[in-house]
Amino acid sequence: MSKLVWIGCCFYLLIGFTSVVAAALLPELMAHYGRDYADGGNLIFTQFFGFLLGVVTQPWWSRWLGRIRMLSFTLYFICIGYLIIGLLPPWPVVLLCLPLVGFGSGMIESTVGALIIDAIEDKKAVAMSRLEVFFGSGALLMPVAISLLIANGRWEFTFFGTSLFALLLAFIWWRYSAANGSFINITDGAETETPAAVPRSTSLKYGSKLSSTMLVCCIIVFFIYVGLEMSIVNFLPSILLESMDVNAAVASLSVSFFWGTMVLGRLVCGLLAEKYGYVRYLLWCSTATVLVLIGLALMKQLVGAFIMILLIGLFMSGLFSIALIFSNSLFPGRTEQTTSKLIAASGIGGAAFSWLTGRFMEHASVSFTLWFLVVLGILLVAMLAVISRMKPTPSAEYTSCG
């Protein structure tokens, strides 16, 4: 079981890499191909579109291929996609290959998360937080490696290195799944079973409506949370540049500070959630996030702003993984389908709110943007309070609502 968790961590480290590679190398790609940032935006969107497509179709691929072969194929997609991009082919080829990477990343995130939630009986929060630590480490370390490669004029090696890591992970996964295929297949098949204890004649119509409402509430939570997180990550340097007397180099450090405390927080968030309960952890940390966001909106000094940023990363560090575990507990026997829907909602929320925050930064003021983030945080607390009062639904009821 510990091997499965560690392999899952490697998968999450890989998608941590893939989540930042294109954005971190965007200036170099634009310069090489003679493109402007509108083209760069199109490039990032193609990866997001591939990611979303992978997440949404993942349950179908899992039923058709099984988790073992599906995860192998996703690693090949990432390996081949980055290998071709690293050769610096014509621009249209890059636009075709990057969605392959996004597609593979989307399927990995939803599949591995569901697999760990299904497979781990005790201390699910600890296992999931370990995955998130590796995701955050990948997102934190990759820009450092890219900056070193750029300084040496070898930035395209980033694609080759990530491709090689995906290929190595495919080999490790092949070796592990060959020895543990029966166990992985058991957890895969568990979702399709309907417990005999749940009578099909129970009020399915009411149960369907109740389950649909609960699922919508959980989807809203992930839509808002990732929208808030990505808005912070994408616009922290711009917010500091516009609101304080700071240069671009110092402002860019804010994202590293944020991810640094994200990683540190994820080292202990699982233990705290198991000790105090998922509901308490979610409500306490989301409320603390709102209070610190208010502090950031009111802060006028750079040192204080960086302290607020550190605290935001710390308090937000475990919200995604713990909310994912709690949400899945509301729909027993449907881990893969539920996880796919929630991660898809998170991807859409991250894109939508990042776009909206950018428009506020352009056409309103920094102060307005910061208070908008505070409002998002308040909405998140409200929705977490709503789902915290929900109880698990029988599998039969959830099945009836799709």
Side-chain angles (χ1 to χ4, degrees):
M1 190 65 66
S2 61
K3 287 184 179 179
L4 177 62
V5 174
W6 282 113
I7 291 174
C9 289
C10 291
F11 274 108
Y12 266 58
L13 180 65
L14 176 63
I15 60 175
F17 290 159
T18 63
S19 68
V20 299
V21 165
L25 283 174
L26 200 58
E28 303 302 320
L29 286 169
M30 297 303 96
H32 176 79
Y33 286 100
R35 300 281 173 166
D36 57 29
Y37 278 97
D39 295 313
N42 293 334
L43 184 66
I44 299 299
F45 178 79
T46 61
Q47 182 173 358
F48 164 73
F49 179 79
F51 175 89
L52 187 60
L53 186 64
V55 170
V56 171
T57 61
Q58 180 270 340
W60 182 83
W61 288 103
S62 181
R63 287 192 298 270
W64 185 44
L65 297 173
R67 283 175 174 166
I68 294 175
R69 285 190 294 173
M70 184 185 64
L71 284 174
S72 296
F73 281 129
T74 60
L75 292 170
Y76 299 146
F77 290 156
I78 294 173
C79 177
I80 294 170
Y82 274 148
L83 180 62
I84 294 174
I85 295 172
L87 296 173
L88 302 178
W91 180 252
V93 178
V94 177
L95 287 175
L96 288 174
C97 288
L98 200 58
L100 263 185
V101 174
F103 183 77
S105 300
M107 288 211 293
I108 286 174
E109 185 167 352
S110 52
T111 303
V112 174
L115 177 59
I116 295 299
I117 291 172
D118 273 344
I120 303 299
E121 294 296 332
D122 299 318
K123 297 184 178 180
K124 293 179 186 288
V126 175
M128 282 300 296
S129 64
R130 188 180 296 174
L131 297 184
E132 292 292 327
V133 166
F134 275 74
F135 179 91
S137 298
L140 180 65
L141 295 176
M142 180 53 78
V144 176
I146 288 174
S147 66
L148 293 175
L149 289 171
I150 291 174
N152 288 280
R154 298 292 184 181
W155 54 269
E156 68 274 13
F157 282 15
T158 305
F159 298 113
F160 296 137
T162 310
S163 177
L164 181 61
F165 181 68
L167 187 61
L168 177 62
L169 184 53
F171 175 75
I172 294 172
W173 174 245
W174 171 71
R175 291 289 301 272
Y176 175 81
S177 60
N180 299 274
S182 58
F183 164 73
I184 298 171
N185 289 332
I186 288 173
T187 59
D188 195 18
E191 295 194 11
T192 62
E193 299 174 1
T194 301
V198 180
R200 293 291 297 180
S201 60
T202 56
S203 179
L204 281 185
K205 185 175 181 181
Y206 174 78
S208 176
K209 291 180 179 178
L210 177 62
S211 297
S212 297
T213 301
M214 291 169 59
L215 182 60
V216 168
C217 290
C218 293
I219 285 173
I220 292 173
V221 166
F222 282 81
F223 181 79
I224 294 174
Y225 169 77
V226 178
L228 177 60
E229 179 186 293
M230 295 311 297
S231 294
I232 291 172
V233 169
N234 290 332
F235 294 100
L236 260 183
S238 299
I239 288 171
L240 293 180
L241 283 170
E242 295 291 334
S243 61
M244 298 184 182
D245 184 18
V246 59
N247 61 46
V250 174
S252 65
L253 285 176
S254 61
V255 178
S256 297
F257 275 60
F258 176 82
W259 276 113
T261 50
M262 268 279 196
V263 172
L264 290 176
R266 286 170 178 174
L267 291 172
V268 298
C269 69
L271 297 172
L272 293 175
E274 294 289 351
K275 181 177 181 179
Y276 296 106
Y278 297 164
V279 170
R280 285 184 179 178
Y281 178 87
L282 290 171
L283 292 177
W284 288 352
C285 287
S286 59
T287 301
T289 299
V290 172
L291 295 176
V292 178
L293 282 171
I294 292 173
L296 181 62
L298 297 174
M299 189 61 60
K300 302 299 181 184
Q301 296 182 349
L302 184 62
V303 174
F306 267 86
I307 291 173
M308 296 297 108
I309 290 166
L310 290 171
L311 291 174
I312 291 170
L314 195 63
F315 289 128
M316 292 184 71
S317 59
L319 290 179
F320 185 91
S321 58
I322 305 305
L324 187 63
I325 295 171
F326 180 75
S327 297
N328 272 289
S329 72
L330 298 175
F331 309 103
R334 305 290 289 183
T335 306
E336 204 158 77
Q337 290 86 342
T338 303
T339 301
S340 174
K341 290 180 175 69
L342 298 182
I343 293 179
S346 69
I348 295 171
F353 281 114
S354 292
W355 179 87
L356 189 58
T357 303
R359 293 304 178 273
F360 287 151
M361 287 288 293
E362 181 70 24
H363 301 293
S365 65
V366 173
S367 178
F368 182 90
T369 303
L370 285 169
W371 287 108
F372 167 70
L373 297 180
V374 171
V375 170
L376 280 185
I378 293 172
L379 289 174
L380 177 63
V381 173
M383 291 307 303
L384 285 172
V386 170
I387 68 169
S388 70
R389 303 182 65 85
M390 295 176 176
K391 303 298 180 184
T393 61
S395 296
E397 293 181 0
Y398 185 66
T399 302
S400 68
C401 67

